[in-house]
Amino acid sequence: MSVTTLVVLGILIFGLVALVGYVFMIYNGLISLKENIQKAWANIDVILKQRHDELPKLISVCESFAEFEKGILDRLMKAREKYFKASSVGSKAKASSEVTAALQGLFALAENYPEIKSNQHFMQLQDRISHLEETLADRREFYNDSVNNYNIRIQQIPDVFVAGFLQYKKEELFQVTEVEKQDVKIDIKLPQF
Amino acid sequence: MTVDPQNIMWAGFGVGLGVYWFFHGFRELKSSRIIQNTPTSRIATGAVGTDVEISGRVMCDRDKWVTAPISGRSAVFYAIEIEQLVRRKNSSHWVKIDEFFSDKGFYLDDDSGALALVMVEGAAIKKKKGRKVRFRMRSKDMATMPANLLLALTMNAGQLKSFKVKHGKWWDSREYRFIEWAITPDETIYVLGYADSGLRTVLKRKPKMATYLEAKKQIESDPDRHERFDRDEDGELSVEEVEAGAARLAVELESKYSEKQVEERVPKTKMVFKKQKGKPFFISNMAEADLIKHLSLMATLKLWGGPVVSVAGAAYILFVFSGQ
C-alpha cells in the first residue's frame, strides 16, 4: 500500500468519524431542544396552576362585598373553567390570556371600591397574583425563546435532515392574545354636580 | 535514507495531538451549541433544579473587596492558575498544575429582585481576551515573588493540590508562572450551569476546624469579644459560652459577607450554581454572543487542524519507513 493511499485512507477515517460524531451531536441536540420546550412548558403550567388556585379565594373575597360588579367575576370564573378544559398549548395559552385580561379588569375595577382595595385578604391576594403574573411573563418569554431556538434549528442545514428523520415539526409559541393587548375599560362613576 | 528518530518522535506526537484536538474540537462545538440552545433566565423568576443560563453584575460590598495578588487591583474575586514549564530536548511548553480562588464564589444580580450565588469550583472559566496578568519565577527565586502573591498562596495552601509554597534549593531549576484572573466590582458575568434552590445550600456552610480554633483564640484574648459572647452577663465566659461564640465567629470569619449581610441576602438568593457531575458549567466575563463566537472558532480550528496535523504526522512516518 502506497503512502498516498494511506493518507487518503486517514482522511477518509477522520471524515467518517467527524460525520458520525456530528450527526450524533445534532441528534442529541435536537432531542434536548425538544425536551427543553416540554420542561419550559411544565414550568409555566406550575405557575398557571398556582394562579388558578388563588382565583376562587379572590372571587370569594370580592363576593363578600355586595355592591361589587358580578359581571367581572363571572368572566373570571368562565376563563378559569376554560383553562381547565383546555388540552393543547395553544388553547391553554388562549385561556390563560383570558384569565389575565379578566384579572386586569378586576383589579382596575377594585380601584373604585375603597373597602375592597383596603381589605387585607384582597391586598395579599393581589400581591400574590401580581407576583405570579410577573413570573408567568418571564417564563413565557423563556418558553418562547426555547421554541424559537428549536424552530430555527429544525429548519437549518444540516439539522433539517436529522429533524426530518425524527419527524420533528414546528412548535407553537405562547402568544399574547388580542384580549390581553386591549386596554382595560374602567367604568368610573364620577359624582354628579 | 537515514531516519532521524527525533523527527519520527515529533511526527508521532503530531498524530496524538491531532487526534486530541479533533475530539476536543467536538467538545467545544457541543459547548457552543449548549450555550446557543439555552435561553437566558431571570434570577427571580427562573426555574431551578435544571441547567440555567444567567447574566448579571457581580455584587460585593466595598469592605469585602480583595486585592488581586499580582496586579494589585481591587477585585471582588480572583483566580490564580499555576503553570509549570516542561522542557523537552528542543522545545518547552507550559502545563497547568494547580489553581486557587480567593473565595468559594460570588453573588450575581440581574436587577430581577433576586440574587444568584456562583460557587466556582469545577467550572470552565472562559476569559475575555486582553493582557494577561502574569508572574514568572524559578523555584529557587521565591524571594522575588510579590508579597501579596506569597501571602495569597500561603493563605490558600489548603486549596493547592500539587504546588507547594517553599523555597527551592539552589540547584532547583523548576520554573513556574502564575496567571491572574480577577472579577472587578460591577463587572457583568455570564453563567450557565446547574442551578439549585438557594436557601438550602447557603445555610449548609460549616466552618473548618482551624477557623473554629482561631475564633476561640480571638474570643479568649479580645475583651470586646469577651463581652459580646457573655450571654448570662456575669462578666465571665463559661466553656459553653466560648464554644458557642467560637462556632458563630468562625462562620463570620470564613464568610465573605458579614452575618448581617448574609441574613439580608439569604432570602434573596434564589439560585446557587455548583458543579454537578455530567452537567455543563461555564463562567465567563465575555458577552454570550462573543463566547459562542470564541467557542465556534476554536471548534472549527481544532476540528480541521487536528486531522491535518494527524494525517501529516502519519504520512511522514509512513513515508520515512516505506522509503527505507
Side-chain angles (χ1 to χ4, degrees):
Chain A
M1 205 184 280
S2 71
V3 175
T4 321
T5 318
L6 285 168
V7 168
V8 171
L9 199 68
I11 292 169
L12 281 176
I13 289 170
F14 265 114
L16 194 70
V17 173
L19 186 72
V20 172
Y22 196 53
V23 169
F24 276 2
M25 195 192 289
I26 291 172
Y27 179 87
N28 291 339
L30 287 175
I31 300 273
S32 75
L33 274 173
K34 184 97 175 165
E35 288 302 313
N36 281 351
I37 293 175
Q38 284 179 6
K39 199 166 62 183
W41 176 254
N43 288 333
I44 288 180
D45 224 13
V46 170
I47 302 297
L48 288 176
K49 176 83 174 60
Q50 285 177 7
R51 187 179 69 171
H52 284 75
D53 289 347
E54 299 296 338
L55 296 182
K57 295 179 209 162
L58 184 72
I59 290 167
S60 82
V61 169
C62 292
E63 274 175 346
S64 63
F65 294 88
E67 71 275 26
F68 198 80
E69 284 181 34
K70 303 290 174 208
I72 192 92
L73 298 179
D74 288 343
R75 194 179 149 203
L76 191 58
M77 280 308 282
K78 274 181 192 159
R80 184 175 181 265
E81 276 162 29
K82 249 190 194 176
Y83 173 79
F84 282 119
K85 282 178 191 160
S87 53
S88 69
V89 171
S91 55
K92 277 192 178 187
K94 199 172 166 235
S96 160
S97 296
E98 280 177 34
V99 173
T100 303
L103 276 168
Q104 282 171 351
L106 189 144
F107 289 138
L109 196 66
E111 293 290 314
N112 295 337
Y113 296 87
E115 283 177 20
I116 296 183
K117 227 175 82 180
S118 56
N119 181 279
Q120 196 66 29
H121 291 300
F122 182 82
M123 284 188 331
Q124 277 173 0
L125 283 166
Q126 192 176 15
D127 274 354
R128 167 102 177 113
I129 291 170
S130 300
H131 175 70
L132 288 172
E133 287 284 336
E134 202 184 315
T135 308
L136 187 61
D138 282 347
R139 294 206 177 169
R140 185 161 64 186
E141 198 181 315
F142 185 87
Y143 173 82
N144 285 342
D145 281 345
S146 303
V147 171
N148 194 39
N149 281 340
Y150 167 82
N151 286 346
I152 290 172
R153 275 255 188 262
I154 62 164
Q155 293 174 86
Q156 275 179 334
I157 291 172
D159 298 48
V160 67
F161 304 117
V162 181
F165 169 74
L166 289 167
Q167 293 181 328
Y168 276 2
K169 302 258 167 8
K170 277 177 89 174
E171 290 282 341
E172 232 175 314
L173 289 166
F174 190 153
Q175 279 165 329
V176 178
T177 59
E178 288 307 313
V179 188
E180 231 177 316
K181 283 185 208 165
Q182 280 167 12
D183 284 340
V184 181
K185 284 175 192 156
I186 314 165
D187 187 15
I188 302 171
K189 292 159 194 155
L190 293 167
Q192 300 286 314
F193 295 104
Chain B
M1 188 179 170
T2 46
V3 177
D4 184 351
Q6 201 179 318
N7 286 351
I8 296 291
M9 197 191 78
W10 274 114
F13 178 70
V15 173
L17 184 72
V19 172
Y20 171 77
W21 274 353
F22 182 67
F23 287 104
H24 205 260
F26 265 113
R27 273 180 61 183
E28 303 259 21
L29 190 64
K30 194 181 163 194
S31 300
S32 84
R33 285 178 75 103
I34 288 173
I35 295 169
Q36 270 176 314
N37 291 349
T38 315
T40 309
S41 295
R42 277 157 65 84
I43 300 170
T45 52
V48 290
T50 181
D51 290 340
V52 179
E53 176 186 279
I54 58 160
S55 178
R57 277 179 301 111
V58 178
M59 251 193 77
C60 186
D61 297 299
R62 210 183 175 88
D63 59 327
K64 297 290 170 186
W65 288 2
V66 288
T67 305
I70 303 176
S71 63
R73 282 188 303 166
S74 291
V76 170
F77 172 89
Y78 66 78
I80 299 284
E81 254 178 45
I82 306 171
E83 292 183 341
Q84 188 177 352
L85 188 67
V86 178
R87 290 174 201 279
R88 303 223 184 272
K89 206 172 176 186
N90 277 333
S91 71
S92 57
H93 63 278
W94 292 98
V95 177
K96 181 179 162 184
I97 56 161
D98 226 325
E99 69 180 338
F100 71 90
F101 311 109
S102 62
D103 197 5
K104 284 178 182 163
F106 50 83
Y107 282 96
L108 283 187
D109 184 3
D110 66 349
D111 296 325
S112 64
L115 304 174
L117 177 61
V118 184
M119 316 288 265
V120 284
E121 205 181 341
I125 298 174
K126 306 278 176 194
K127 296 157 221 171
K128 210 185 265 179
K129 266 190 190 164
R131 198 173 63 87
K132 281 189 176 175
V133 184
R134 289 177 179 152
F135 171 72
R136 190 173 166 173
M137 60 149 218
R138 285 182 191 279
S139 185
K140 61 181 179 185
D141 302 327
M142 192 73 91
T144 61
M145 186 183 272
N148 277 342
L149 180 59
L150 185 62
L151 185 70
L153 282 165
T154 315
M155 283 175 70
N156 295 288
Q159 279 189 59
L160 300 172
K161 291 175 186 101
S162 13
F163 183 80
K164 297 273 173 282
V165 189
K166 61 175 185 185
H167 291 268
K169 302 282 184 213
W170 63 269
W171 64 82
D172 190 350
S173 64
R174 277 175 299 173
E175 210 167 326
Y176 298 104
R177 74 176 176 191
F178 303 84
I179 304 167
E180 175 191 288
W181 181 58
I183 299 177
T184 50
D186 281 338
E187 197 172 346
T188 302
I189 298 290
Y190 168 90
V191 178
L192 189 154
Y194 182 83
D196 207 345
S197 165
L199 291 164
R200 276 175 308 172
T201 322
V202 176
L203 293 172
K204 248 188 231 169
R205 292 182 72 171
K206 209 178 160 189
K208 288 178 203 150
M209 184 48 93
T211 322
Y212 172 80
L213 294 173
E214 168 63 28
K216 209 169 167 182
K217 217 164 99 182
Q218 281 192 24
I219 292 172
E220 281 164 349
S221 60
D222 185 350
D224 287 342
R225 296 201 194 277
H226 224 99
E227 205 178 311
R228 182 183 162 195
F229 296 113
D230 184 13
R231 282 186 300 196
D232 54 11
E233 294 174 0
D234 63 348
E236 294 279 320
L237 276 184
S238 65
V239 179
E240 289 79 25
E241 282 170 337
V242 172
E243 282 175 354
R248 205 168 149 186
L249 186 62
V251 174
E252 286 175 32
L253 289 175
E254 271 196 5
S255 172
K256 187 175 172 65
Y257 304 94
S258 70
E259 195 181 347
K260 190 169 165 267
Q261 286 162 341
V262 169
E263 273 170 17
E264 279 169 9
R265 277 171 191 174
V266 162
K268 282 181 85 184
T269 305
K270 172 81 193 298
M271 296 177 177
V272 174
F273 287 85
K274 228 176 164 187
K275 177 70 189 160
Q276 292 273 328
K277 213 177 164 189
K279 300 267 182 190
F281 190 19
F282 303 103
I283 299 176
S284 179
N285 57 351
M286 287 189 235
E288 188 186 346
D290 294 334
L291 184 61
I292 292 170
K293 226 185 272 176
H294 167 79
L295 286 170
S296 303
L297 179 72
M298 293 311 287
T300 311
L301 287 175
K302 286 174 183 172
L303 281 170
W304 288 100
V308 168
V309 173
S310 236
V311 171
Y316 178 78
I317 295 170
L318 289 168
F319 176 74
V320 168
F321 285 107
S322 64
Q324 269 192 328

